[in-house]
Amino acid sequence: MVTIAHIHNDLDTKFGVPRQSGVVQEIQSVIVFEPPYRSPEALRGLEGFSHIWLLWLFHEAAGHPWHPTVRPPRLGGNKRMGVFATRSPFRPNNIGLSSVRLAGVELNTPQGPLLHVEGADLMNGTPILDIKPYLPYTDCHPLATAGFTDSVPFRPSLQVAFPQELRRRFTPEQAEALLAILAGDPRPQYQDDPTRIYTMEYAGQEVRFSVEGTVLSVIMP
């Protein structure tokens, strides 16, 4: 398989990337095609779809061995499940699958056609292997069950204390997305240490925070 495009956004490191696509709709990304695939004809009709599927490569996991069982973060990292019952990046083929909202299609730019998407759970620079339209009549299953994940409640949303002097370092759109990421609690499910300082890279800047109870406090450098 070949890389047809790369995604570009403010998610500079793995830590802080939403655990699933659509969890943080405020994240805005742009898909830039590689030169052989910069054909407006290849996107004819795509603008009529509200959502698309992205098939992509866990490029930072490439070359790592796979194992039949993994420790899903959702289960606190202390219980094993079969790799094919999880979305772990450490798989026989390091392929990811995400459903994102298609916010816009630009056909003629200096970089060729661009796709603007929202709600991606991909790091900045992730290689895209394929793009397909999301079809509600066949892809949506309202009565579907979610296996072992149904028995594990999500952590409640956090209240974020974000100093204005820090917020001004970002564009309004970047700040809105960052607030949503932090409110969703980017910490591993098994970590709950109020004395620990966490660090994530976002939009080219270092964001440090701590969590006590249901309050996440962004820390001035």
Side-chain angles (χ1 to χ4, degrees), residues 12-140:
D12 296 327
T13 58
K14 178 182 176 182
F15 182 60
V17 174
R19 294 181 177 89
Q20 303 293 340
S21 58
V23 173
V24 182
Q25 287 288 349
E26 292 87 350
I27 295 175
Q28 301 181 22
S29 306
V30 178
I31 295 173
V32 181
F33 289 88
E34 291 296 288
Y37 311 103
R38 292 178 179 177
S39 168
E41 289 297 301
L43 301 177
R44 184 190 298 178
L46 190 64
E47 73 282 350
F49 293 90
S50 66
H51 293 74
I52 56 177
W53 289 107
L54 302 179
L55 283 82
W56 47 278
L57 188 66
F58 285 107
H59 58 297
E60 293 202 347
H64 290 266
W66 77 281
H67 298 281
T69 61
V70 296
R71 300 177 187 270
R74 185 72 187 277
L75 296 179
N78 54 18
K79 186 175 182 180
R80 287 192 172 274
M81 289 291 173
V83 65
F84 300 129
T86 75
R87 297 188 175 185
S88 167
F90 303 106
R91 325 180 65 80
N93 294 304
N94 306 113
I95 297 173
L97 175 69
S98 298
S99 173
V100 298
R101 180 178 178 273
L102 181 61
V105 179
E106 286 188 89
L107 295 180
N108 300 294
T109 81
Q111 296 175 288
L114 302 178
L115 300 182
H116 297 267
V117 300
E118 297 174 350
D121 57 341
L122 286 69
M123 281 178 53
N124 183 37
T126 296
I128 306 294
L129 301 175
D130 201 4
I131 296 169
K132 301 179 187 294
Y134 177 94
L135 305 177
Y137 73 90
T138 185
D139 293 342
C140 180

